[in-house]
Amino acid sequence: MKLYAVTVNWNQYELTERCIVSLFRAGLNERQLIVVDNGSDDDSLNRLKRRFGDTIVQIANSENQGYVLAVNQGIEHALALGADWVLIINNDTYVAESFLEHLMPVLNQGLFAILGPVIFYADDPRRVWYLGDRLINGTLLTWGLLRNQFISPNLPPIVEVDFVSGCGMLVRRDVFENIGVFDPLYEMYTEEVDFCWRARKAGYKFACVTQAHMWHVVSATASRDKPRTRYLRVRNQIWFYRKYAKGGQRLLLFIFSLLKMLYISPGDIISFQGALLKATAAGWFDGWFIPQMSLRRYQR
């Protein structure tokens, strides 16, 4: 069984280096890690070449094409090389040495087509950042399992979930072959939610392998342009609602997103974050009211 890993770098050499080192220490084979450089101007390509030589596969983009197009490049390259499973991993993460040791037996079982690890905060290494989401029946809304909590030693080794995070996501080959890759509509943020929704509708099952651990430097990329990040998060979540909401769901989600915007806005006002306040409002308005001809069910 061939497992390839794909990560995207954009001017974050140090974080990418740590991610790569952790994957190799966890047992990933040489030449089965694909790094897509998204037009970095910090000499990342040369530094990665000097550090890792031919042990990694590099794809160099001349400009930043957005995260989704870049990660899709890596996925398609992995599939062309014969990958049976693809690990999509953010470059601002690192994994435990036992990461693959705990994942491989579950991959071999064949019960689940999409798997995720437990992801902890890098600056609070025992606190859960993400374990998985469950769908609230009859809606497109979810609730996160053990978010910001500590895991119990009694936690089952496998927890079935409805969504996993694109921060660390293992996907079986046939999922891509049947539903396609990430929808380029999103550019960045919400693309994995859309992907999981399509996979779920196609009948695939998801699980979190709770003994497989990863740590995430939260917002390492987002912090470089907080207003744009806020705009994309708000707009893209609403685009997801627009794509898949049916009947009364659309009104429910319209009200939910409006209330959510009103809930977070006072915090921006109190902290004098006018740019974030404006970005939230613009994201909400554009999400609901700007026509998007590409709002469709993405297929390869």
Side-chain angles (χ1 to χ4, degrees), residues 3 5 18-30 33 87 89 94-104 212-215:
L3 168 66
R18 179 167 66 173
C19 178
I20 293 171
V21 169
S22 75
L23 286 169
F24 284 147
R25 285 178 176 169
L28 186 72
N29 293 331
E30 292 185 359
L33 171 60
L87 169 63
I89 183 168
Y94 55 94
V95 303
E97 287 192 26
S98 60
F99 181 75
L100 293 179
E101 174 188 335
H102 292 298
L103 284 168
M104 293 307 293
H213 294 171
M214 170 189 289
W215 290 267

Side-chain angles (χ1 to χ4, degrees), residues 22-86:
S22 75
L23 286 169
F24 284 147
R25 285 178 176 169
L28 186 72
N29 293 331
E30 292 185 359
R31 300 294 297 175
Q32 289 184 209
L33 171 60
I34 299 168
V35 180
V36 182
D37 186 83
N38 224 5
S40 296
D41 56 13
D42 66 344
D43 201 34
S44 284
L45 280 170
N46 290 328
R47 295 172 74 185
L48 288 170
K49 183 70 174 179
R50 288 194 297 268
R51 176 68 173 84
F52 298 104
D54 293 330
T55 62
I56 63 174
V57 178
Q58 286 186 301
I59 297 175
N61 292 328
S62 59
E63 59 183 9
N64 189 340
Q65 300 182 18
Y67 174 79
V68 172
L69 287 177
V71 77
N72 282 348
Q73 280 181 283
I75 293 167
E76 290 170 346
H77 193 67
L79 296 176
L81 292 173
D84 299 304
W85 285 82
V86 179

Side-chain angles (χ1 to χ4, degrees), residues 230 261 264-266 268-269 273-282:
R230 174 74 66 83
M261 178 178 66
I264 64 177
S265 294
D268 294 334
I269 295 172
Q273 296 289 334
L276 290 181
L277 185 68
K278 182 178 179 180
T280 303

Side-chain angles (χ1 to χ4, degrees), residues 233-247:
R233 287 186 184 278
V234 173
R235 186 198 66 182
N236 289 0
Q237 184 180 56
I238 293 171
W239 277 358
F240 172 74
Y241 296 158
R242 285 177 61 187
K243 284 179 68 176
Y244 300 113
K246 296 179 180 179

Side-chain angles (χ1 to χ4, degrees), residues 196-213:
C196 287
W197 181 259
R198 289 186 279 128
R200 188 174 182 276
K201 288 300 183 182
Y204 292 107
K205 291 186 176 182
F206 305 69
C208 172
V209 181
T210 61
Q211 293 177 315
H213 294 171

